């Protein structure tokens, strides 16, 4: 069941890779939110639909991406990601803030609004 959720999300969400990190995040003039997850992580699978919904709500204001840590360890290492899910908000290519773990939709919305 969880794998189906991730597959559905992947079709709607932008996928970020180590190779595309620099060009996607560092050179972006909009805030960029990156949801770092793994396919085997239950909290990641619960967070996914929340992040997807918020990506639709913030379309044009914030770019949202998902990054599989198992497939992209270089970026995870660069930002010290040692627990998942980790959500990182970049502004002007720099880390503005991040959180670790599952949070409720309203809490994430308030977090984004306080940072952008």
């Amino acid at each position: 069941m969880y794998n189906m959720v991730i597959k559905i999300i992947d079709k709607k969400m932008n996928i970020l890779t180590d190779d595309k990190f620099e060009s996607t995040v560092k050179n972006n003039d909009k805030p960029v939110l990156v949801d770092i997850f793994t396919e085997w992580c239950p909290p990641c699978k619960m967070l996914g639909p929340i992040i997807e919904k918020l990506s639709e709500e913030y379309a044009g204001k914030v770019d949202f991406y998902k990054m599989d840590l198992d497939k992209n360890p270089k970026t995870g290492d660069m930002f010290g990601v040692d627990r998942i899910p980790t959500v990182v908000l970049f502004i002007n290519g720099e880390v503005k803030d991040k959180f670790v773990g599952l949070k409720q939709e309203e809490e994430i919305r308030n977090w984004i609004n306080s940072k952008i």
Side-chain angles (χ1 to χ4, degrees):
M1 166 107 177
Y2 288 125
N3 287 338
M4 287 176 29
V5 172
I6 289 296
K7 300 287 186 227
I8 292 168
I9 291 169
D10 287 353
K11 291 179 183 175
K12 294 181 180 178
M13 292 287 298
N14 296 314
I15 303 299
L16 186 60
T17 63
D18 284 341
D19 294 341
K20 299 289 183 185
F21 179 82
E22 188 80 23
S23 63
T24 301
V25 175
K26 294 286 187 178
N27 300 324
N28 199 322
D29 59 348
K30 285 190 279 188
V32 177
L33 185 142
V34 180
D35 173 17
I36 303 171
F37 74 102
T38 62
E39 290 190 29
W40 51 263
C41 164
C44 298
K45 293 172 185 177
M46 293 186 290
L47 182 63
I50 297 169
I51 297 294
E52 180 181 333
K53 181 178 178 185
L54 291 170
S55 74
E56 294 169 4
E57 183 177 322
Y58 286 90
K61 298 176 191 168
V62 178
D63 288 344
F64 281 68
Y65 291 88
K66 293 189 71 61
M67 176 178 264
D68 186 330
L69 184 62
D70 287 339
K71 295 177 183 174
N72 301 282
K74 180 179 163 188
T75 302
D77 288 346
M78 187 169 26
F79 294 102
V81 175
D82 60 356
R83 294 173 296 166
I84 50 172
T86 295
V87 177
V88 184
L89 181 65
F90 295 88
I91 296 182
N92 298 320
E94 301 293 326
V95 174
K96 177 69 174 183
D97 201 4
K98 66 181 177 178
F99 70 82
V100 176
L102 180 61
K103 296 197 181 295
Q104 298 300 315
E105 180 181 331
E106 189 61 29
E107 189 175 1
I108 298 169
R109 183 181 292 109
N110 290 339
W111 176 77
I112 293 170
N113 289 337
S114 74
K115 306 300 176 190
I116 62 172

